[in-house]
Amino acid sequence: MKKKLIANIFSFVVTMAYGQVGIGIPSNEMTTEELQMKGNLIISNKVGQVNKLEELVEKKIVNGVSQNTDYRVLAHDPNQIGDVKGQIKEMYGQQNVLPIIIQPYEILNINGDDLEDLNLNIPFSDYFVAITNFEADDKLKQGFPATANKGRFEYYAFVGSDNMWHVKIGNPNASPSNLVRAFNYYFDVLIYPNRFFKNLNTKSYDLGGKQTGNAGTPIID
């Protein structure tokens, strides 16, 4: 007795022409890209059928605690390797291939020295940020109070009620008599995509008056 097995679980179209491959793409929608795919892609080190996505999760032990592995970075190698050109390679742990966006800012003609709220319009859900290369320009040359803290600026990024990143800058010891167009601020914002980087919570340690301490190892692997 003949048995016919009809598998209708996945339906896809593969078109090959001039070195192009399309998966799930109708022939009339094919572009000139070498590989074009419609749908999700799962790359795993497991061989064979995977029935549940949970089976793709790998475990690791960090500081004695079992943790799920996070991600793998794949990079396209344009060089010819043997008979193959354009290999896809796993770049796990290679931070030099991960994206960091550097956005310079110049904030001009501030009223006084206090920048209360600058909305960067960078969504907290997708990125976290850090401020670097800060420079303050005392436009009116009014100087700072003759105190031990003169010239000390405070600047930080925070998440607003709109779930966007904002910046606040000021000098607690500066009280310029002329406020109009008194300061310019220059700084860079480092923008890290959440899908590649972790923003670890603050770890606080009380040294109890001592000058040395031993901080615990963060889970960074």
Side-chain angles (χ1 to χ4, degrees), residues 86-99:
Q87 285 190 7
I88 295 178
K89 293 185 174 182
E90 180 180 341
M91 303 297 290
Y92 177 66
Q94 299 297 315
Q95 298 294 317
N96 58 318
V97 303
L98 299 181

Side-chain angles (χ1 to χ4, degrees), residues 2-49:
K2 295 182 178 180
K3 295 182 179 179
K4 294 182 178 180
L5 178 62
I6 301 176
N8 193 23
I9 300 176
F10 299 100
S11 177
F12 61 90
V13 177
V14 177
T15 302
M16 300 185 66
Y18 305 105
Q20 299 163 241
V21 178
I23 302 176
I25 308 295
S27 58
N28 63 335
E29 296 181 9
M30 279 289 293
T31 68
T32 58
E33 301 297 332
E34 295 180 3
L35 173 62
Q36 188 177 356
M37 183 181 70
K38 182 178 182 180
N40 296 325
L41 173 65
I42 296 176
I43 298 178
S44 171
N45 62 355
K46 288 201 169 186
V47 179
Q49 182 180 3

